[in-house]
Amino acid sequence: MKLFVVSALLGCLATAVAALADVKWCVKSDIEEKKCKDLAAKGPFSCVKRDGSIECIKAIHAGEADAITLDSGDIYTAGLKPYELRPIIAEYAGKENCYYAVAVARKGTKFGFKDLRGKKSCHTGIGKSAGWNIPIGMLLSKDIMQWEGPEVKPVEDVVSTFFLESCVPGATKPSLCKLCKGDCTKTHSEPYYGYAGAFQCLKDGKGDVAFVNHLTVPVSERDDYELLCSDGTRAPMDSAETCNLAKVPSHAVVGRKDPELTKHIFKSLTIVQKDPTFDLFSSEGYGAKDLMFKDSTQSLVELPPTMDFFLYLGADYLSTIRSLKKEQIKESTDSIKWCTVGHAEKKKCDKWNINSMDENGDIKIECETGITTEDCIQKILRKEADAMSLDGGAVYTAGVCGLVPVMAEQYDSDLLLSYYAVAVVKKSSGLTWETLGGKSSCHTAMGRTAGWNIPMGLIHQQTGNCKFSDFFPEGCAPGAKTDSTFCKKCAGSGKAVGDDSKCKASSEERYFSYDGAFRCLAEDAGDVAFIKHSIVEEYTDGKGPSWAKDLRSEDFEIICPDKGRHPVQKFIDCHLAKVPTHAVVTRNEIASKVVAVLTEQQARFGSTGTDPIFKMFESKDGKNLLFKDKTQSLQALSIPTTYKDFLGKEYEISMRSLRLCPDYTSDLEKSCESRRCTSA
């Protein structure tokens, strides 16, 4: 017994010692190491020196170091295999968690962004965001610089002939190092490395343009310089919000996927920030700028544990950086990959795939499967899938993560892109909106528009209470956490044993989506169903599937605040909100391609399609698979249309209000929200 107690005590002591171990910070130069050692004198840190960002990334992956602050370009590299590091802490400059990539030139020079060919250029470093990825990507996208692709020649070769001379620290091509002052490495041993270095290159008269961020040029010197706008014009240095090349996620500390180590790193940095004798965000006195952290940083924010480099960088930035990588991913120009959730959707998609072949033998639709809708959103971000149709609530989440709506489902001949969210009860229940408290509820899914966002937003406005289980003690909201009261009434797939589908936000859960929520009410699992206005009439009076064959529309009513009870046909007089229809979302870079493929597909397989062998808007093995069965057509939205434009201001305000209840905001949305270029 004594031996056991001693062993246990030793184990606890070992754990405590491990928890207090120094954070091994990776530095890239002697100058940075000096600041790091001063940091180590103030807190639980030690310093590991490596030659450049890549070597630091390798050291962290190997456990030889724990953390380093990187810009977005290096965050991308760190996130790839075999390293698989993740951003854990973001820099904030004031209240902003992003910065503008800008092109700066001396005032009095006459050229614009479109006239950069033959000029001398100063860059922060090869692969850096503001200094390389963004400006080179912009020059290529606007056809100011031409590149036939990595299979013909590296992009560095193209840049070296486009600019007369350059300083691109870290470049391997000598011509890109001609303007550099030191060894042209991506370390502080190169005086023109980093933001301050690229600006110094311009200031010293070496270059004609410097690619930096909007905070680089000191306020006292800004009158001597101007911004080059992407449209060819110029603007004062304080116009970065309207004259920039891109808005970029801020630098972030990266580390291994170790939650306990992440907490230890953040706690250790927090302790040091409180020390009045050491300024973590100042490089004054060390002979360089932006050591360990950008000097413009004012605070650090811990990122959600679900954050990875795809979510942090966002779809637009990923598109830019991929286009410049030698290992550029080739895409089919003729097909799109649809993301499905659940076996029934995959089965329908497979049939679509088989029949999507055109007269040239080219397949137009391929299929990918996600575990949940949010899994599919991530797959689209990662280029593992291309598109899917989503409810407004999921459009909101996808939009926060960087996807865009490109086509909307249209449900009637009036071409309206909206429907009504309603609350349905059994007529015999006698329930009104005002007496719902304490009852059981049926929701289409957690985070869905009619099934969750609208009704729970209203309830939150009434009660001010984010603990919705106080209002509905039991219910079914597929997608809720398995131990939630909102999973108690879910039915699962109906398997006697081994049913892991219960409360999953997929067609495998019988109470999922509009038809599922109505079935939940019809089978007395709940007292109220939050659904779309047309569902009751679609599933009653002999029009529904076998489980609904005896249901009559007259046995149900709709309720709404302060308006009592109404027949289900009176939804215009009694509804919770008028909301946008479902929409197809995709990455911005392939928006036009997705619209073109779907337009061609619905001409063949839509409600008035020419080919009867497959119907896009019919579901034989379920309901509302891939698209809502009521869909008449897909209407193309103007490109670009943001998720905010599509959902409308009222819907966004409602969502922002509901997001005051973080326990009911998905981890995916929290991760995407935390890296958006918005105030902290």
Side-chain angles (χ1 to χ4, degrees):
M1 181 67 179
K2 289 182 179 179
L3 181 61
F4 174 77
V5 172
V6 171
S7 298
L9 288 173
L10 288 174
C12 291
L13 180 61
T15 301
V17 170
L20 296 174
D22 287 348
V23 174
K24 295 173 287 187
W25 203 273
C26 198
V27 297
K28 300 178 290 184
S29 66
D30 293 338
I31 297 173
E32 199 166 47
E33 187 176 33
K34 186 176 186 302
K35 179 178 177 180
C36 182
K37 287 181 176 179
D38 289 343
L39 167 66
K42 302 296 182 179
F45 292 88
S46 61
C47 308
V48 176
K49 184 171 176 289
R50 293 290 186 271
D51 295 329
S53 298
I54 295 297
E55 294 305 313
C56 277
I57 290 169
K58 291 177 180 178
I60 296 171
H61 172 64
E64 298 164 1
D66 296 323
I68 185 176
T69 306
L70 298 176
D71 102 311
S72 297
D74 289 328
I75 289 172
Y76 177 85
T77 301
L80 297 173
K81 292 180 179 180
Y83 314 118
E84 295 184 299
L85 306 183
R86 74 175 192 88
I88 58 176
I89 301 165
E91 292 184 348
Y92 272 67
K95 292 185 177 181
E96 290 292 310
N97 64 335
C98 66
Y99 61 88
Y100 296 103
V102 296
V104 179
R106 286 182 294 277
K107 188 178 288 186
T109 52
K110 301 299 182 182
F111 61 88
F113 186 78
K114 298 178 180 179
D115 309 312
L116 288 178
R117 183 181 295 277
K119 300 295 187 293
K120 298 178 181 180
S121 59
C122 304
H123 306 255
T124 58
I126 194 82
K128 293 286 188 179
S129 296
W132 181 263
N133 296 336
I134 297 300
I136 303 307
M138 181 70 73
L139 288 168
L140 290 171
S141 67
K142 289 184 172 292
D143 289 326
I144 300 169
M145 179 191 297
Q146 284 76 40
W147 183 36
E148 295 177 351
E151 65 279 357
V152 176
K153 64 174 67 174
V155 70
E156 290 93 330
D157 288 359
V158 177
V159 177
S160 68
T161 58
F162 180 83
F163 291 113
L164 181 63
E165 292 180 332
S166 301
C167 177
V168 187
T172 56
K173 196 169 183 64
S175 58
L176 294 179
C177 292
K178 283 185 179 179
L179 296 183
C180 291
K181 194 173 183 179
D183 58 7
C184 195
T185 60
K186 270 173 66 174
T187 71
H188 291 97
S189 60
E190 167 52 63
Y192 291 163
Y193 167 66
Y195 295 115
F199 173 60
Q200 192 65 45
C201 169
L202 174 66
K203 186 177 177 180
D204 289 347
K206 297 286 188 178
D208 301 309
V209 60
F211 300 110
V212 292
N213 76 35
H214 73 289
L215 299 172
T216 301
V217 180
V219 175
S220 60
E221 301 180 50
R222 290 183 181 178
D223 286 344
D224 298 327
Y225 298 91
E226 290 179 316
L227 298 175
L228 306 184
C229 309
S230 60
D231 63 1
T233 62
R234 288 194 175 204
M237 289 299 301
D238 60 359
S239 305
E241 188 172 348
T242 55
C243 177
N244 61 75
L245 306 184
K247 211 171 187 181
V248 184
S250 66
H251 291 204
V253 178
V254 301
R256 296 182 296 278
K257 296 175 182 178
D258 183 337
E260 291 305 315
L261 178 59
T262 297
K263 290 178 182 177
H264 180 45
I265 294 170
F266 185 70
K267 184 177 180 180
S268 300
L269 289 170
T270 301
I271 291 171
V272 172
Q273 288 177 73
K274 295 178 181 178
D275 189 329
T277 65
F278 181 78
D279 189 346
L280 187 65
F281 309 130
S282 173
S283 303
E284 189 174 353
Y286 294 102
K289 295 285 189 180
D290 301 323
L291 300 175
M292 300 185 69
F293 297 92
K294 292 206 307 290
D295 294 344
S296 58
T297 303
Q298 295 188 24
S299 64
L300 299 174
V301 176
E302 187 174 9
L303 298 171
T306 53
M307 181 68 75
D308 64 15
F309 76 106
F310 276 90
L311 298 180
Y312 187 75
L313 298 177
D316 287 342
Y317 184 79
L318 287 171
S319 174
T320 298
I321 200 170
R322 283 183 183 122
S323 69
L324 298 175
K325 291 293 176 181
K326 292 180 182 179
E327 64 273 16
Q328 187 180 30
I329 300 171
K330 295 184 184 297
E331 291 186 3
S332 165
T333 56
D334 299 320
S335 67
I336 60 173
K337 186 174 286 188
W338 201 264
C339 200
T340 67
V341 179
H343 174 73
E345 282 206 337
K346 179 61 163 58
K347 186 177 179 181
K348 179 179 177 180
C349 188
D350 286 342
K351 187 173 181 181
W352 189 9
N353 161 256
I354 292 169
N355 290 288
S356 68
M357 183 182 296
D358 65 15
E359 57 188 14
N360 297 319
D362 296 324
I363 296 290
K364 292 303 186 78
I365 300 295
E366 298 176 12
C367 304
E368 175 67 25
T369 300
I371 300 171
T372 64
T373 296
E374 293 192 347
D375 185 35
C376 272
I377 291 172
Q378 293 188 68
K379 284 179 178 287
I380 296 172
L381 283 169
R382 293 173 181 270
K383 284 193 168 183
E384 295 169 10
D386 293 322
M388 69 185 306
S389 186
L390 296 175
D391 152 274
V395 169
Y396 183 90
T397 299
V400 170
C401 291
L403 301 184
V404 293
V406 291
M407 300 189 86
E409 295 182 0
Q410 177 262 319
Y411 303 132
D412 56 44
S413 57
D414 294 329
L415 302 182
L416 296 175
L417 299 182
S418 60
Y419 64 94
Y420 294 92
V422 297
V424 179
V425 298
K426 287 187 174 181
K427 183 183 292 186
S428 58
S429 70
L431 284 173
T432 65
W433 181 265
E434 289 70 28
T435 60
L436 279 181
K439 303 301 181 183
S440 297
S441 54
C442 302
H443 307 262
T444 58
M446 187 70 67
R448 294 294 183 93
T449 299
W452 183 268
N453 296 336
I454 296 302
M456 305 315 275
L458 288 172
I459 289 170
H460 177 252
Q461 290 175 33
Q462 291 175 8
T463 65
N465 185 0
C466 285
K467 193 174 179 182
F468 294 127
S469 58
D470 287 347
F471 194 87
F472 291 125
E474 293 182 327
C476 178
K481 294 179 179 178
T482 53
D483 59 351
S484 167
T485 58
F486 288 103
C487 282
K488 285 186 177 181
K489 292 291 188 176
C490 291
S493 65
K495 292 181 182 178
V497 292
D499 186 4
D500 59 358
S501 299
K502 184 173 181 179
C503 207
K504 293 290 179 63
S506 78
S507 56
E508 308 303 310
E509 163 59 60
R510 286 180 292 172
Y511 291 166
F512 170 68
S513 196
Y514 295 122
D515 56 318
F518 181 52
R519 184 175 183 177
C520 168
L521 171 67
E523 295 180 351
D524 295 319
D527 301 302
V528 59
F530 299 110
I531 52 180
K532 187 171 68 171
H533 69 274
S534 61
I535 296 300
V536 175
E537 292 194 278
E538 291 175 27
Y539 283 79
T540 56
D541 303 325
K543 295 191 288 285
S546 58
W547 63 263
K549 62 183 176 61
D550 296 325
L551 299 180
R552 299 184 304 168
S553 60
E554 63 187 46
D555 292 332
F556 298 92
E557 291 182 322
I558 51 178
I559 58 175
C560 50
D562 304 320
K563 289 188 178 181
R565 304 153 60 85
H566 289 68
V568 294
Q569 297 82 4
K570 297 290 185 179
F571 55 85
I572 293 179
D573 299 322
C574 178
H575 56 263
L576 305 184
K578 188 177 181 180
V579 293
T581 64
H582 293 205
V584 175
V585 301
T586 187
R587 299 181 300 279
N588 189 54
E589 70 207 66
I590 58 169
S592 297
K593 170 183 166 182
V594 170
V595 171
V597 171
L598 290 178
T599 299
E600 182 269 336
Q601 288 293 293
Q602 75 170 346
R604 293 176 60 191
F605 306 123
S607 57
T608 60
T610 58
D611 193 338
I613 196 170
F614 174 75
K615 293 296 182 183
M616 288 172 62
F617 311 133
E618 267 185 26
S619 303
K620 292 186 176 179
D621 297 306
K623 291 291 289 185
N624 302 316
L625 302 176
L626 306 183
F627 305 95
K628 294 305 160 199
D629 294 343
K630 287 282 288 184
T631 304
Q632 296 296 309
S633 67
L634 298 174
Q635 287 191 45
L637 304 173
S638 60
I639 296 178
T641 293
T642 68
Y643 74 101
K644 291 182 180 180
D645 292 335
F646 176 72
L647 296 174
K649 191 171 184 179
E650 289 185 0
Y651 190 90
E652 186 190 1
I653 291 172
S654 175
M655 290 294 290
R656 287 289 178 186
S657 175
L658 191 58
R659 288 315 184 250
L660 295 174
C661 302
D663 288 347
Y664 294 99
T665 301
S666 71
D667 290 338
L668 172 62
E669 191 174 315
K670 288 177 184 176
S671 293
C672 293
E673 184 72 43
S674 69
R675 49 76 44 196
R676 288 205 306 169
C677 292
T678 53
S679 295

